[in-house]
Amino acid sequence: MIVFDSIRRFKSTRQTLGGTLGLVPTMGALHEGHKSLIHRSLKENQSTAVSIYINPTQFDRAEDLKVYPETMSEDKEQLKSLGVDLLLIPNYEQMYPDTFRYEIREKGFSSEMCGAYRTGHFTGVLTVVMKLLNIIRPNRAYFGEKDYQQYLLIRDMVEAFSLEVEIIPCPIVRDPDGLALSSRNMNLSDSAREKAPLIYELMRSKGSDNEVRLGLTKEGFEVEYVKTKFGRRFVAVRIGTNPTVRLIDNIALIE
Ligand code: PAF
């Protein structure tokens, strides 16, 4: 695996690559969910690139950014043993030479659901993903369905700007008790971790969105939203204190 902390060096190596390149963009703190995206990319492409960049512009709360888990040396070891070819670890100066004067803003769906609770979040996501796609120039890019709203917004951005990349959604990976894997799970206290599988359990119930909301509230979750849309039920909650951990999940509803 070649590790790049320089975008310029990455780009010159990219020019020498033949065959297809798959990209798995991440913010590190890798788990089995990330690994499933990487396995898929390794299977479908001649080369696979992973990026690790904790993108500050997508965090609406400074305290959330401060506690975002960082496990760089373990991440590098894992990526090497998985067989990843290229790892890009850029810094802020390289990713934002414009100090974020320019942004990609979506004017509809990005203000709903997670966007309604995290002002500017999707502008940060879309901007950094546009930058990564331009730098890495993958043929395919892989995104987890846990962040389904993010996946839809990226898919539509790629279409809106005629980008030459295939956006591939990959199924959510769960712990055996049903909790959707997320880097943020590392920040859960023991008692919050014990409660967290209730999100999956309650969201699968036959009740209305409002009933699921009431059930979660009764269990001590601070519910941001429970919403059915696109044949899926979406949930976002916060749990615990110091830090408060924000968890999201969604499932496809079977008719
Ligand atoms: O899903 C994530 O980890 C991030 O939002 C992404 C796509 C890497 C952009 O920073």
Side-chain angles (χ1 to χ4, degrees), residues 11 21 92 139 158 218:
K11 280 180 160 175
L21 176 65
Y92 180 82
N139 302 86
V158 161
K218 217 167 98 195

Side-chain angles (χ1 to χ4, degrees), residues 25-27 34 51 53 55 58 68 121 124-125 128-129 132 143 147 150 154:
T26 80
M27 299 205 296
H34 294 113
S51 60
Y53 180 63
N55 175 36
Q58 71 188 74
Y68 198 84
H121 167 67
V125 169
V128 83
V129 170
L132 289 168
F143 294 88
D147 300 297
Q150 166 177 282
I154 291 169

Side-chain angles (χ1 to χ4, degrees), residues 81-94:
S81 64
L82 285 170
V84 166
D85 303 280
L86 311 170
L87 170 61
L88 177 64
I89 312 175
N91 62 19
Y92 180 82
E93 285 68 33
Q94 293 189 59

Side-chain angles (χ1 to χ4, degrees), residues 65-248:
L65 173 60
K66 220 158 79 190
V67 299
Y68 198 84
E70 212 220 280
T71 55
M72 187 60 87
S73 46
E74 292 93 320
D75 290 350
K76 277 187 186 164
E77 283 312 309
Q78 285 200 58
L79 295 173
K80 206 156 75 182
S81 64
L82 285 170
V84 166
D85 303 280
L86 311 170
L87 170 61
L88 177 64
I89 312 175
N91 62 19
Y92 180 82
E93 285 68 33
Q94 293 189 59
M95 287 304 284
Y96 290 95
D98 59 334
T99 60
F100 201 33
R101 279 200 302 134
Y102 292 89
E103 65 183 27
I104 301 286
R105 189 160 64 88
E106 192 274 350
K107 291 188 279 183
F109 185 43
S110 62
S111 315
E112 292 179 31
M113 301 204 304
C114 287
Y117 292 87
R118 304 185 71 191
T119 308
H121 167 67
F122 286 117
T123 296
V125 169
L126 294 177
T127 303
V128 83
V129 170
M130 178 65 101
K131 285 171 187 269
L132 289 168
L133 294 176
N134 283 333
I135 294 161
I136 295 170
R137 290 194 296 108
N139 302 86
R140 302 188 178 92
Y142 297 82
F143 294 88
E145 288 185 346
K146 185 178 71 63
D147 300 297
Y148 202 82
Q149 189 178 9
Q150 166 177 282
Y151 151 65
L152 291 176
L153 287 163
I154 291 169
R155 182 199 66 184
D156 293 353
M157 172 183 80
V158 161
E159 200 193 334
F161 290 95
S162 301
L163 303 183
E164 295 283 334
V165 59
E166 194 183 338
I167 300 298
I168 300 181
C170 301
I172 297 175
V173 179
R174 299 180 181 279
D175 269 337
D177 61 11
L179 177 64
L181 295 190
S182 161
S183 303
R184 290 170 198 272
N185 294 356
M186 289 180 196
N187 287 340
L188 291 169
S189 66
D190 290 349
S191 62
R193 176 62 190 80
E194 233 170 79
K195 268 217 164 140
L198 283 169
I199 302 168
Y200 184 54
E201 195 179 313
L202 288 170
M203 76 190 283
R204 284 158 73 210
S205 71
K206 293 264 181 289
S208 65
D209 290 349
N210 200 38
E211 282 163 336
V212 174
R213 165 185 278 277
L214 290 173
L216 286 164
T217 306
K218 217 167 98 195
E219 292 293 345
F221 293 92
E222 186 192 319
V223 182
E224 286 187 354
Y225 62 84
V226 177
K227 192 174 177 67
T228 297
K229 205 176 163 86
F230 311 126
R232 289 187 170 252
R233 176 175 273 161
F234 296 87
V235 173
V237 298
R238 289 185 180 268
I239 184 169
T241 44
N242 276 331
T244 293
V245 181
R246 186 172 188 277
L247 298 175
I248 60 172

